[in-house]
Each structure stands twice: as C-alpha cells, then as structure tokens.
Amino acid sequence: MGREFIELFDRWADSYDATVTGHDEEYKEVFEGYDEILQEVASSVSGSVVEFGVGTGNLSEKLLTTAAQVTGVEPSEKMRAIASQKHPSMLVVEGDFLDHPIKENVDGIVSTYAFHHLTDIEKKQAAENFYRILNKGGKVVFADTMFSSETAKEEIIQNAISRGFLNLAEDLQTEYYPYIGTMQEIFSQVGFHVELKQLNRFVWLFTAKKEN
C-alpha cells in the first residue's frame, strides 16, 4: 500500500523541495522540468480534484488555481504538516492510494512521483477504486517514473551505477516502478481510455479517462 515508505517520506520531508528543484545532482534528471510537469498535470483536470501523495504541496499550489475544489491525501505526518502550512485553506487528510476517505463525486484524480510505491496488484486495486469514485468523464492524471521496456530500465540503472549514483540505482531496482505497458493494461481492463506521453528521461504523463 506504499505504507512501507512512510519512514522515508518523514525523513525526506525537510529536504524534499531542495531535491525536486535540482539541488541534488543524483536525482536532477528525475526531476528535470519539474515545474512544467506539475503544471501539465494540474492543467489536465478541473472541478472536484483529489491529489494523492501530496508531499510538501507543490502540485497542490497549482491545482488550487485550476480546480474548483482540491482535497489532498498523504500518509506521511511530516509531509502533511508542511503541505498544510503552505496551503492552510486546503483539506489534507491522512491516507494513501488504497485507504482513504474519498467515496464519490470526483472529477479528477492526480499524483506526481508517487504511484510507483504500489505493487502491480495494488495498482490494479487502486485503479478499480478510482473508476468507482470518478464521475463520468473524470480523469486520472499521474506523472511518475515509468519504463518503456525491461531493456530501457536496465540501461538507465546501469547508467546511474556508472555515474556513481548508487542511491538512485537502488531506488530503481527496489521500488515498484511500472512499465508503461503494464499501466495501460491495468487501467484499460478496468474500463479507462489510456494515453501516455514522455516528459523527461524518467517521467511519463499518464492519463486515464472514464468515458462511461
């Protein structure tokens, strides 16, 4: 359910914003074009929007200017505290992709750099839940590290190792980063119409629309 990463999130909370803005050389490419990535996600949804994995509230800032209502869901207490301090008018609740209080009447579901914390089985469970709570025409819009193939993944891992980026290599090997084909299959089977677009060397924009 991604809960095994909460301790990591708590430790990362104070330095997260420095990492995503390029101050950590090891993860600089992962977050290349970070502001533009967040803006593209935020611009893709409107109405009543739920953001999963709010983190420190960077995507939230953009959503609050594009959506009629934004509810944040975040498992890390420290991350929630930072996000709430930045955006005191936004409701940020404790929860994760599978265990949350949102039940219905949602127009958009968004997340950045978070869905990879779920196993493929958990991703399928989340997709089924998203389909239930979304209104007709509603969308899931995620930006996250994904791979086009096993070969592409291995090339990126080996490149990270050769550059001495051992923490990045370990992350890519141990967390549940999906293949784009797997994401297409999971969400299509549930009933979504799926589109993908690559945004940088690591990150893809994933859009799943509930058409019926």
Side-chain angles (χ1 to χ4, degrees):
M1 241 185 277
R3 295 274 177 166
E4 64 267 37
F5 299 104
I6 290 179
E7 184 180 347
L8 169 64
F9 300 153
D10 284 342
R11 292 199 309 268
W12 199 10
D14 290 335
S15 61
Y16 183 81
D17 286 352
T19 299
V20 300
T21 51
H23 291 78
D24 186 335
E25 187 65 29
E26 186 163 3
Y27 289 87
K28 192 171 185 177
E29 279 189 290
V30 178
F31 294 104
E32 181 181 356
Y34 181 69
D35 191 69
E36 291 79 8
I37 289 170
L38 299 189
Q39 187 60 61
E40 183 146 11
V41 172
S43 299
S44 300
V45 292
S46 59
S48 175
V49 176
V50 178
E51 179 188 357
F52 285 95
V54 168
T56 60
N58 296 327
L59 174 59
S60 310
E61 181 176 356
K62 299 183 184 302
L63 289 169
L64 289 167
T65 68
T66 61
Q69 179 181 350
V70 182
T71 302
V73 180
E74 169 59 51
S76 164
E77 182 177 0
K78 288 189 176 181
M79 290 285 198
R80 287 198 306 274
I82 294 173
S84 296
Q85 184 177 29
K86 285 184 180 180
H87 311 298
S89 65
M90 187 177 85
L91 175 63
V92 182
V93 299
E94 194 276 337
D96 57 51
F97 286 104
L98 299 181
D99 183 11
H100 58 81
I102 313 301
K103 303 302 180 186
E104 60 184 359
N105 198 32
V106 175
D107 298 309
I109 294 171
V110 297
S111 185
T112 52
Y113 298 91
F115 200 56
H116 65 269
H117 292 119
L118 274 63
T119 66
D120 287 350
I121 291 174
E122 290 169 340
K123 290 182 179 74
K124 177 69 177 297
Q125 294 170 346
E128 292 169 346
N129 179 254
F130 297 159
Y131 197 87
R132 284 193 296 270
I133 67 176
L134 276 171
N135 297 326
K136 182 179 178 180
K139 292 188 290 184
V140 176
V141 184
F142 291 163
D144 201 358
T145 293
M146 305 181 198
F147 299 103
S148 59
S149 67
E150 186 174 351
T151 299
K153 177 179 180 179
E154 187 59 29
E155 286 177 355
I156 288 178
I157 290 171
Q158 291 304 317
N159 179 263
I161 293 172
S162 70
R163 297 170 70 185
F165 295 162
L166 302 185
N167 290 326
L168 174 59
E170 183 179 4
D171 288 346
L172 297 175
Q173 291 170 306
T174 58
E175 297 190 22
Y176 310 121
Y177 294 99
Y179 297 109
I180 60 172
T182 301
M183 290 287 285
Q184 288 174 314
E185 181 179 0
I186 287 172
F187 280 80
S188 295
Q189 286 179 349
V190 173
F192 286 102
H193 172 74
V194 176
E195 296 181 358
L196 289 113
K197 180 173 72 171
Q198 192 164 15
L199 300 181
N200 68 27
R201 187 163 175 252
F202 289 82
V203 175
W204 291 72
L205 181 73
F206 174 86
T207 304
K209 185 176 182 180
K210 180 179 177 178
E211 297 184 324
N212 300 312

